[in-house]
Amino acid sequence: MTVRVCVFVEPHRGATYDDQLRFARRVEEAGFEGFFRADHYQSMGADPGLPGPTDAWLTLAALARETSRIRLGTLVSSATFRLPGPLAVMVAQVDQMSGGRVELGIGAGWYEREHLSYGIPFPPVVERFDRLAEQLEVVTGLWRTPVGETYHHDGPHYRLVDAPALPKPTQVPGPPIIVGGKGPKRTPELAARYADEFNMPFRSVAETAATYERVREACDRHGRDASGRPPLVFSAGIVVAVGRTDAEARRRAEPLHAKSALPPEDSVVGSPAQLVDRLGEFAAIGATRVHLRLIELDDLDHLDLIANEVLPQLEAR
């Protein structure tokens, strides 16, 4: 099967920059395609996540200078956190710092508690999606504006006048955009219009397949295939806790049982072979990339086990 495998982590559960650097370096050494991280400012359960949050793009900028091969990005940045103009500048700069290895996953935002904690406005869901759509238009518009020309935008939420549209990212026309989620209407439309990758996070194969079909229908409505743009990449997020024994897998899965604001997720808890089988099921419905969510950043053995027991099987198939 042809499935590219990235690793996804949640540092808001409790991780320093050094923890993330150590983990990202091992991701690169072990042969995974990329290191992606959540963009949250607060833990989602009773555990405060000491020593506290790390900013996603500040962290990725540092990792860009400390790695050389792996892709780096967010799953996903919240459109409520940053204005689109500064976000375009920020991501373009990190793309330059990495030599063109950055990807921008972006969503509407959903966790109200962290907004209240840090004084970030949290408008109703319809407005959040309106802002997401407008941010996608602005960010991609800034990146695509030729050097020497200016960018203008006058929308309901953001107004840009004579923007120099600089700096330019290394990747042309810009870093890949990832849009994801299970929303039945607006999410597929935004993916069809703006995204390079659609990601379905941590749901069953059946639910993922149904969502992929809605996204494909949206691509047809927008004439994406006829537009000359590259085909949309379909990816899946999988929560993973595997072990050499059942006991080891159950131990790694223990944090999944803690009460959290996260919705229910479809996890793979068991052997490396079970993970290989699940990857095959996702490949069969059209996924060509997966993001494996590993829970503990200090568990490098978990990472090595997957690299040694799962990745070679994908190549053999």
Side-chain angles (χ1 to χ4, degrees), residues 119-231:
I120 303 169
F122 188 73
V125 63
V126 172
E127 182 179 335
R128 296 202 306 275
F129 269 92
D130 289 343
R131 287 180 177 270
L132 171 61
E134 198 171 342
Q135 287 210 3
L136 285 164
E137 181 177 346
V138 170
V139 169
T140 56
L142 286 167
W143 289 341
R144 287 171 169 79
T145 298
V147 174
E149 298 184 14
T150 56
Y151 177 78
H152 309 264
H153 176 84
D154 192 1
H157 301 290
Y158 308 105
R159 182 168 182 259
L160 288 76
V161 179
D162 294 331
L166 297 172
K168 294 302 180 195
T170 297
Q171 298 175 90
V172 178
I177 300 286
I178 304 173
V179 170
K182 62 178 182 177
K185 296 181 179 180
R186 299 197 67 179
T187 299
E189 293 293 317
L190 292 175
R193 291 174 59 192
Y194 295 107
D196 300 281
E197 175 178 330
F198 174 80
N199 176 258
M200 184 61 167
F202 319 125
R203 295 297 187 271
S204 69
V205 175
E207 188 176 358
T208 301
T211 303
Y212 282 0
E213 188 57 34
R214 288 194 291 269
V215 175
R216 292 188 182 101
E217 291 170 355
C219 289
D220 290 341
R221 286 194 297 273
H222 287 276
R224 181 177 176 121
D225 292 340
S227 68
R229 293 179 62 191

Side-chain angles (χ1 to χ4, degrees), residues 242-271:
V242 299
R244 298 171 184 83
T245 64
D246 289 343
E248 186 176 69
R250 287 195 300 270
R251 175 181 61 77
R252 288 189 165 124
E254 286 178 2
L256 298 176
H257 304 307
K259 187 176 181 180
S260 168
L262 288 169
E265 300 167 327
D266 191 55
S267 307
V268 175
V269 179
S271 67

Side-chain angles (χ1 to χ4, degrees), residues 12-95:
H12 57 273
R13 290 174 175 263
T16 65
Y17 168 72
D18 287 338
D19 293 331
Q20 295 170 74
L21 173 59
R22 186 182 309 109
F23 200 83
R25 282 176 168 166
R26 185 66 68 88
V27 168
E28 183 164 83
E29 294 165 359
F32 293 91
E33 180 178 89
F35 172 91
F36 287 75
R37 57 154 289 165
D39 188 1
H40 285 290
Y41 288 126
Q42 189 168 341
S43 173
M44 296 175 186
D47 187 330
L50 296 176
T54 52
D55 181 82
W57 285 102
L58 182 61
T59 299
L60 291 173
L63 293 177
R65 309 301 289 181
E66 300 283 357
T67 58
S68 61
R69 181 191 60 80
I70 50 172
R71 306 292 297 177
L72 300 167
T74 51
L75 282 177
V76 293
S77 288
S78 172
T80 58
F81 288 173
R82 304 169 185 90
L83 297 173
L87 177 63
V89 171
M90 187 182 309
V91 178
Q93 181 181 353
V94 180
D95 194 48

Side-chain angles (χ1 to χ4, degrees), residues 4-11 20 23-24 26-28 30-38 60 69-75 202 236-238 240 275 289-297 299-300 302-304 306-307 311:
R4 295 174 289 136
V5 182
C6 300
V7 175
F8 168 69
V9 297
E10 296 180 319
Q20 295 170 74
F23 200 83
R26 185 66 68 88
V27 168
E28 183 164 83
F32 293 91
E33 180 178 89
F35 172 91
F36 287 75
R37 57 154 289 165
L60 291 173
R69 181 191 60 80
I70 50 172
R71 306 292 297 177
L72 300 167
T74 51
L75 282 177
F202 319 125
I238 310 174
V240 175
L275 177 56
R289 196 187 206 195
V290 295
H291 300 269
L292 305 182
R293 193 180 102 199
L294 304 188
I295 303 163
E296 301 291 348
L297 275 85
D299 188 359
L300 297 181
H302 195 192
L303 190 63
D304 291 342
I306 296 171
L311 297 190

